Amino acid sequence: MDEAERKERGFAARRSVLGDAHVDRAIANTTDFTAEFQDLITRYAWGEIWTRPGIDHTTRRLMVMSMMIALNREEEFIMHVRAAVTHGVARDTIKELILQAAIYCGVPAANSAFHAASRLFKEMDAAAGSI
């Protein structure tokens, strides 16, 4: 696959996983300083890894959320929880993921993840109620 195809597949995967609004915001917020990074993650994280056939998107989502808990990357964790719920991952599945993380990543990491996910769910529920 050439770089143009990798980038095209990357944008398709990125939009599929995170949604058009998120990707459009990321593109709109790209600066000269961040352009090469955006290109890198689109081609490689999304075009090379997320498009591989060995693991389905739901499993990849759960893996990424687990890694974000372990690395204490709340912003990325929230982004992936939002995308997961939007694409049909049950909140109970996310709860189980966080409980599992409590054992392998530590209780403080899981506590932070529960707080972040709870805030996000409250925000999502409020937005759904206003429609």
Side-chain angles (χ1 to χ4, degrees), residues 60 62-73 105:
R60 286 187 194 278
L62 297 173
M63 291 170 62
V64 169
M65 285 185 281
S66 295
M67 288 180 242
M68 294 306 98
I69 292 169
L71 294 169
N72 194 27
R73 299 298 189 258
C105 301

Side-chain angles (χ1 to χ4, degrees), residues 1-15 17 38-53 57 60:
M1 153 176 31
D2 68 17
E3 293 304 307
E5 182 182 357
R6 184 175 285 116
K7 190 170 185 174
E8 182 180 321
R9 288 177 59 180
F11 270 121
R14 196 173 176 187
R15 288 182 181 284
V17 172
Q38 287 296 319
D39 181 62
L40 174 83
I41 62 174
T42 299
R43 285 184 295 119
Y44 289 98
W46 298 105
E48 186 68 31
I49 301 303
W50 275 85
T51 60
R52 293 179 60 82
H57 275 193
R60 286 187 194 278

